[in-house]
């Protein structure tokens, strides 16, 4: 027996009343793969739509060991002390494979987890990036409807997950470390072009000189990169999640970035472009998910994809065949069972 | 009365026999927006599929005035002199709006146009980038079936056209110019991350010192960029389309790049990723084109898109509604005419 699902009215009222349990249940609903849950979650998202879009959306990435959790905990605590509320979400498409590499999200951020002004959401169970990204995007909207002032989306940076996070936040923060030798080691190629801010973490005690050198090198690299916004020149800061050094300055920079692109009109442009990409990424994900679930066409889809990948079938031909499959009416149940 | 269209058999035989008229007619067929032509062109692409994929595919971009046509003419002539054959295609999504900004392609490359070992195709009539890119991609496949050794795809670099070209070629060449003051002026932000080779054109006579400085600056910028392939480090060369200086070295670099990524297995990876993106870009284009053409759903589609862009409707909800519209059966003709 499935547990009785909450009514839409109860969820909507709960979100309005800032009931954290309602927020948790609403996010569980948008994460569900059940067909009836999906319809419900769409209805919920429609209803709360007018109350979304108001939070600052911050993405945080960085190589393993850079101290993301500690820094997010420190930043979140600072924001809370300013009288604001914060939610922390994560994208980790690897979590399905290795049983959760962002393990025990709540354990990693004990202060935020315990504070009523913060909401830390465990990473959604994995699957394809398209599905994970959709769930996180919808969870972000629910956090906004709940009235959160800052949503932080964290990623481990596996595969395309940084692109997925970049496609849903206003400000993208990369965490880096100072180190011996190559100061920029551990930074994934291609990520520098997407960042609005770089923070060199663990800039404390003995680590300070190396962190300073890293920040200088990073500034040099940032200067030659394409600028994402005409109203903002990316920069590098020194922080310490451990001591809290530089955290207020980091928050000021996040606010300054968002305010600059809002004033220039680039925030509106960015969100329009993000919405467009999200729409078509969802269309792709839905078409694929539905076709793969249909026994009568799944094999044909697989064949089409393989032939396109192998260069044996032009994409333009495959696109039409795929849409023809999609449009085929679902066969009646009798034909869908193995026992005929 | 429409002109009698060629039969598939005649086109296929013509391509096999390297009949340039057949190639021209085949490309005209894939460029056609007529529904029956599209079905025919898909059938043709299916038939010639096994003979595609063998050409070197080179993309060429660069700011206006950089001398793209002269350089392509010189490079093409060099390749022909080596005993190879070449085709030149172009992507220019602006051509619909301003009546063709790559005007008179054939005029611009008189030697290649006159030579039986070369095939210069005028820019397809514009429209949305998705449609233009699909036509050029299919034209590229037809050139391969025709047996061309090198396909050059040129772009004026308007909007996302460089991305579209990058998504269909093996090697991406950026043309640049030396100049007073800011040596990298005129190079579009973001393009440097996509290039495999940069050639500083007009490196002749008085222009040589400025070209040398530009090449040095470009090398510096390339060194900090993400590498697209582990087997290839992008570099900058000096060329002159006018005098032919550096053209053999440029061709050697194009060959070296393609060979390096073929050996490392990255060419196969690249083409698989390109095919995947082409498939889904075509799906997007087809869904949109079809929905927009249907009077009964066009307005609803427009409304969905506007609401998503404005952040009023979650992308995940719009994606389903859009696919529901797509799956609606076409209304019978009586309902589709304005006069009912």
């Amino acid at each position: 027996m499935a547990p009785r699902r909450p009514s839409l009215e109860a969820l909507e009222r709960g979100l309005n009343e800032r009931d954290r349990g309602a927020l948790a249940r609403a996010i569980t609903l948008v994460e569900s793969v059940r067909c009836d849950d999906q319809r419900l979650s769409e209805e919920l998202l429609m209803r709360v739509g007018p109350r979304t879009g108001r939070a600052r959306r911050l993405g945080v990435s960085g190589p393993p060991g850079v101290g993301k959790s500690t820094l997010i905990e420190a930043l979140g605590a600072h924001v809370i002390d300013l009288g604001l509320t914060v939610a922390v979400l994560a994208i980790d498409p690897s979590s399905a494979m290795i049983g959760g590499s962002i393990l025990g999200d709540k354990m990693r951020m004990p202060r935020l987890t315990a504070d009523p002004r913060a909401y830390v959401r465990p990473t959604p169970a994995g699957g394809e990036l398209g599905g994970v990204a959709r769930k996180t995007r919808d969870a972000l909207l629910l956090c906004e409807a709940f009235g959160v002032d800052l949503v932080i989306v964290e990623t481990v940076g596996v595969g395309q997950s940084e692109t997925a996070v970049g496609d849903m936040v206003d400000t993208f923060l990369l965490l880096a470390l100072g180190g011996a030798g190559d100061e920029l080691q551990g930074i994934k190629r291609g990520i520098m072009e997407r960042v609005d801010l770089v923070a060199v973490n663990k800039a404390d005690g003995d680590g300070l000189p190396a962190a300073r050198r890293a920040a200088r090198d990073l500034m040099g690299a940032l200067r030659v990169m394409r600028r994402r916004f005409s109203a903002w020149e990316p920069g590098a800061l020194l922080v310490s999640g451990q001591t809290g050094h530089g955290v207020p300055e980091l928050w000021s920079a996040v606010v300054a970035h968002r305010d600059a692109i809002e004033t220039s009109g680039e925030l509106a442009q960015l969100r329009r472009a993000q919405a467009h990409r999200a729409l078509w990424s969802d269309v792709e994900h839905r078409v694929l998910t539905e076709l793969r679930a249909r026994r009568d066409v799944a094999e044909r889809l697989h064949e089409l994809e393989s032939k396109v990948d192998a260069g044996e079938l032009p994409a333009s031909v495959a696109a039409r065949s795929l849409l023809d499959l999609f449009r085929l009416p679902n066969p009646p149940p009798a034909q869908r069972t193995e026992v005929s």
Side-chain angles (χ1 to χ4, degrees), chain A:
Chain A
M1 300 282 278
R4 207 172 62 81
R5 262 159 300 130
S7 78
L8 278 185
E9 289 68 26
L11 285 176
E12 200 184 354
R13 198 173 50 241
L15 288 175
N16 276 335
E17 293 167 355
R18 303 208 168 200
D19 168 0
R20 290 154 55 95
L23 177 58
R25 283 190 297 278
I27 296 182
T28 301
L29 185 68
V30 299
E31 284 176 0
S32 167
V33 294
R34 288 178 51 142
C35 201
D36 47 351
D37 284 349
Q38 285 193 9
R39 288 277 175 191
L40 268 182
S41 79
E42 286 172 20
E43 177 63 30
L44 178 64
L45 287 165
M46 295 267 285
R47 289 192 188 193
V48 304
R51 296 211 313 288
T52 63
R54 292 185 211 151
R56 291 175 194 276
R57 302 170 177 175
L58 172 67
V60 180
S61 189
V66 77
K68 279 192 293 294
S69 308
T70 312
L71 195 276
I72 290 173
E73 172 99 334
L75 183 66
H78 175 71
V79 170
I80 284 173
D81 288 344
L82 295 175
L84 303 173
T85 53
V86 59
V88 182
L89 308 174
I91 284 195
D92 178 7
S94 68
S95 64
M97 291 171 287
I98 58 173
S101 71
I102 299 190
L103 266 172
D105 304 68
K106 299 202 171 194
M107 303 282 285
R108 297 179 304 121
M109 300 174 195
R111 184 172 160 193
L112 292 185
T113 302
D115 198 301
R117 294 162 297 180
Y119 177 75
V120 180
R121 177 76 186 183
T123 313
E128 275 183 293
L129 181 59
V132 175
R134 201 268 300 154
K135 290 172 191 172
T136 305
R137 210 185 306 120
D138 287 344
L140 186 155
L141 296 174
L142 292 172
C143 290
E144 291 190 327
F146 180 77
V148 155
D149 301 300
L150 169 68
V151 182
I152 299 177
V153 186
E154 177 188 2
T155 177
V156 288
V158 173
Q160 294 298 305
S161 62
E162 274 156 343
T163 305
V165 171
D167 272 352
M168 67 181 77
V169 298
D170 307 325
T171 306
F172 201 111
L173 166 67
L174 175 70
L175 290 186
L177 282 184
D182 180 358
E183 304 291 354
L184 303 185
Q185 67 194 355
I187 294 185
K188 215 167 120 191
R189 281 175 180 278
I191 182 67
M192 287 290 281
E193 288 104 72
R194 299 173 185 278
V195 304
D196 302 301
L197 290 167
V198 181
V200 183
N201 197 17
K202 305 188 186 176
D204 45 37
D206 293 348
L208 198 50
R212 285 215 178 95
R213 280 196 304 275
R216 212 166 36 232
D217 289 355
L218 285 160
M219 281 299 290
L222 286 171
R223 262 192 291 270
V224 301
M225 296 288 163
R226 155 174 60 163
R227 272 174 56 180
R228 300 181 61 217
F229 304 103
S230 67
W232 183 254
E233 178 83 59
L237 293 87
L238 297 177
V239 293
S240 167
Q242 208 70 48
T243 68
H245 167 83
V247 168
E249 290 78 7
L250 175 59
W251 175 242
S252 299
V254 170
V255 171
H257 170 260
R258 198 1 236 276
D259 290 352
I261 64 172
E262 188 162 12
T263 305
S264 70
E266 287 168 299
L267 177 66
Q269 265 175 40
L270 174 72
R271 288 195 169 181
R272 265 199 305 277
Q274 288 174 333
H276 180 90
R277 281 194 296 272
L279 171 61
W280 287 100
S281 146
D282 263 30
V283 166
E284 170 174 345
H285 180 71
R286 277 175 193 274
V287 170
L288 274 183
T289 306
E290 187 177 316
L291 291 183
R292 285 190 186 138
R294 284 180 56 179
R295 195 169 288 155
D296 56 326
V297 298
E299 196 176 324
R300 179 88 186 98
L301 170 71
H302 179 71
E303 199 184 307
L304 280 176
E305 287 184 303
S306 309
K307 282 191 171 170
V308 169
D309 286 359
E312 289 163 18
L313 186 69
S316 51
V317 178
R320 183 195 293 265
S321 308
L322 191 151
L323 287 173
D324 286 346
L325 286 183
F326 182 75
R327 226 179 326 215
L328 277 182
N330 262 306
Q335 287 173 250
R336 296 175 81 186
T337 58
E338 215 135 37
V339 192
S340 73

